Amino acid sequence: MNATTNQPPLIISPDRSAIGQPPPGEHRPGQPPVAERFTYDNAIVRNFAVATIIWGVIGMLVGVIVATQLFAPAANLGNQYTTFGRIRPLHTNAVIFAFVGNAIFMGVYYSLQRLCKARMFSDLLSKLHFWGWQLIILSAVATLPLGITTSKEYAELEWPIDIAITLIWVVFGINMFGTIIKRRERHLYVAIWFYIATFVTIAVLHIVNSMEMPVTFLKSYSLYAGVQDALVQWWYGHNAVAFFLTTPYLGMMYYFLPKMANRPVYSYKLSILHFWALIFIYIWAGPHHLLYSSLPDWAQSLGVVFSIMLIAPSWGGMINGLLTLRGAWDKVREDAILKFMVVGLTAYGMATFEGPMLSLKNVNAIAHFTDWIVAHVHVGALGWNGFLTFAMLYWLIPRMYHTPLHSKRLLNLHFWIGTLGILFYAVPMYISGFTQGMMWKEFTPESTLRYSNFLETTLQLLPMHRMRAIGGTFYLAGAIIMAYNLFKTMAAGTLTANEPAEAMALPKAYTPTGGDTFWHRSLERKPFPLLVGSLVVILIGSLIELIPTFMVESNVPTIVAVQPYTALEVEGRDLYIREGCVGCHSQLVRPFRSETERYGEYSKAGEFVYDHPFLWGSKRTGPDLHREGSKYPDSWHYHHMRDPESMSPGSIMPPYPWLLEQKLNVASTSAKLKALQSVGVPYDDVTVRYADEDLKKQAAEVSSRLAKDGIKVPADREIIALIAYLQRLGTDIKKAETAVK
């Protein structure tokens, strides 16, 4: 007899049907329904789990190296491929898409099969998804240190890789929906709602933000420019946090937390409100990353309003999770896995309170461009994503390998060292952020900037940056301890690659009972209406914010004096992008007295109309550069790139000797101008045709000016193009002001 169903064991014929039994989904009158036997695919879950562990350690290690360079620039070992600007995006991509991404797929593949009572739709698609995703990650590892980047935050990968991401995401979607369709459980549990919303929203975000004009195989320009590009980027960037780092984790929280605590979810109705309110409100909040910028005021205001509203559904999810533990807090005291979950949920609550607070204009005026934002992001990443991932790994691996965890002492050690790591990371960054924001704005009684030299604020923060690196090292050490503990656990046990299961077939016909007339219960049984509903909800805010910014000209007023970059300046701008300068320097002077006193006239929307992509930045480790043009002689920039401390004593910027030595690659200059022409930059055909000649002429002029200052550098070196670009920044508006006078 079968212990689960009290039915006689079934004999399965070669065609997978039960001998002497009716086809699945049907039964003869007067006979009880028959359970079907099948297996869960644990091998794919194991694969994603191992990838999560490995990429997590690698991504965190790169993060520690990056953090170290902010107080010890020599940590790049004098290598152009390991500078802060080049490997910072490698760190963010490794943590977001390799560590968290693999963890998402691990959790989804495990929970979806059990919630649907069905094996994944296709083993082939599962394998294609796994290996395709790992190849995408490896392509990021290969390209980002080489400076092959679009420079758009969290979307730095170039266009062929973007296409590969799209294809693999489609593979994941087919596999997920195929599994849902063939499910044996009528009801779609709340976790699946979040998985569906994640799939459809990430698809929309990725496709819209990745619209690019290819130049060569590994070079492209954003289809959008300036203000429009900034809005699309932070509509994507904020909602990548929402729908890649949040919604799938909420879905997994709704599955794994009740399993770990052996308690039902606190409130079904709260989960409904939480889900629909969250995906509707979140999509509007992107513009709060662009407050006091050149973005139209109405778009900024929408971002603020919906950001404030966002705290309600966010805390609804946190409360639903924490109250699920009612009656199980004694387990939390004893079980380190539940401790990980509780700290993770608490970090989620803190981050989702702080996000709306940071969207308030008076708070944002101080916090933006500072380390406060770094602290905010990492409370969510280290606490919410990291700790939930650790909890899932510790819970899953022993179950799939049918063996106890290798060491509970190491598990507890990981929890405490990880928690200390978060504190040692976040607290110094909060102090650093407050210090930065206040020092930048402080005036003397004589109405002059108290800290007029930007470097004064940078040097003040070095002790906090050292503490941040120590915290990151603690957190990395915890991940290494976990890797050792889990790999020893795997070695001691045996994976059940195909876990036996059985469930009743889903009846072909279904008539709702009186209790099922509630509209949402009906929707939960229909995956495609749920998909369409999620799509409609996230498109409302997206279209209302994006379309007017593109269609109404008054949102981005042009300035006649602003002209396209010359061929040499385009090449210099691409070098600026390659070296990741936007990771430390903004190009956006906000309309504050403190900033106009320090940098010059505040930035206007019309100045960026030819910027593909925009380079406003999100962090000021160094000063803003939007008014850098003509501020210093060419020789200053040359010496600054050769030896930053010779121009700025105490600078933490590394030297860039390769720019002085490497020849400028001009093989695709004409193609670059032609691509920019295709996306709306008004180059005429003559300019495109004679791009190489114009470039050489301007390069010779820069080289000649340097020679007058005693610096002999050939006109074909990269430093020449970079100087030309830096000397152009912000000068168009100055010319316009001079013409008016």
Side-chain angles (χ1 to χ4, degrees), residues 24 87 206 230 248 292 306 323 366 451 485 492 499 502 506 526 533:
I87 66 172
H206 175 70
Y292 294 109
F306 279 91
L323 290 181
I366 298 171
Y451 305 101
N485 203 0
E499 182 182 326
E502 61 180 29
L506 190 66
K526 301 172 183 176

Side-chain angles (χ1 to χ4, degrees), residues 147-182:
I148 299 170
T149 172
T150 66
S151 89
K152 300 182 76 171
E153 204 154 356
Y154 314 138
E156 293 92 349
L157 302 180
E158 271 292 357
W159 67 272
I161 308 173
D162 283 339
I163 293 174
I165 292 171
T166 305
L167 295 175
I168 294 302
W169 197 252
V170 169
V171 167
F172 169 53
I174 294 172
N175 211 11
M176 181 172 72
F177 280 95
T179 306
I180 293 171
I181 290 168
K182 73 170 190 176

Side-chain angles (χ1 to χ4, degrees), residues 421-578:
I422 296 172
L423 294 174
F424 274 86
Y425 190 110
V427 173
M429 286 296 94
Y430 281 121
I431 297 171
S432 176
F434 301 153
T435 304
Q436 273 181 309
M438 300 311 294
M439 288 181 73
W440 289 347
K441 291 183 175 297
E442 189 171 352
F443 281 83
T444 66
E446 293 76 26
S447 294
T448 59
L449 285 168
R450 184 174 296 279
Y451 305 101
S452 56
N453 184 349
F454 187 93
L455 191 56
E456 291 180 274
T457 66
T458 303
L459 297 177
Q460 190 73 26
L461 308 179
L462 294 184
M464 276 76 85
H465 283 184
R466 292 188 182 96
M467 290 297 293
R468 185 257 291 268
I470 292 171
T473 303
F474 279 4
Y475 199 86
L476 169 63
I480 293 172
I481 290 169
M482 178 194 70
Y484 172 80
N485 203 0
L486 291 180
F487 286 136
K488 290 289 286 184
T489 302
M490 293 180 194
T494 303
L495 175 71
T496 303
N498 298 290
E499 182 182 326
E502 61 180 29
M504 308 304 294
L506 190 66
K508 292 183 177 180
Y510 177 76
T511 304
T513 63
D516 292 320
T517 55
F518 181 51
W519 66 272
H520 204 272
R521 289 194 181 275
S522 176
L523 186 62
E524 290 161 22
R525 294 177 170 88
K526 301 172 183 176
F528 289 106
L530 193 59
L531 169 69
V532 173
S534 300
L535 178 61
V536 169
V537 166
I538 63 103
L539 283 179
I540 293 171
S542 303
L543 297 177
I544 289 175
E545 285 185 343
L546 296 179
I547 290 177
T549 312
F550 284 86
M551 304 299 292
V552 181
E553 292 184 10
S554 61
N555 281 314
V556 189
T558 57
I559 300 173
V560 175
V562 176
Q563 297 298 313
Y565 297 107
T566 66
L568 184 65
E569 290 160 1
V570 167
E571 291 290 359
R573 192 171 196 270
D574 286 344
L575 290 173
Y576 185 96
I577 289 171
R578 185 191 76 185

Side-chain angles (χ1 to χ4, degrees), residues 34-56:
V34 178
E36 296 179 341
R37 288 185 174 175
F38 56 95
T39 58
Y40 295 130
D41 183 2
N42 282 342
I44 189 64
V45 179
R46 184 271 318 274
N47 292 346
F48 277 117
V50 171
T52 300
I53 297 167
I54 293 172
W55 287 119

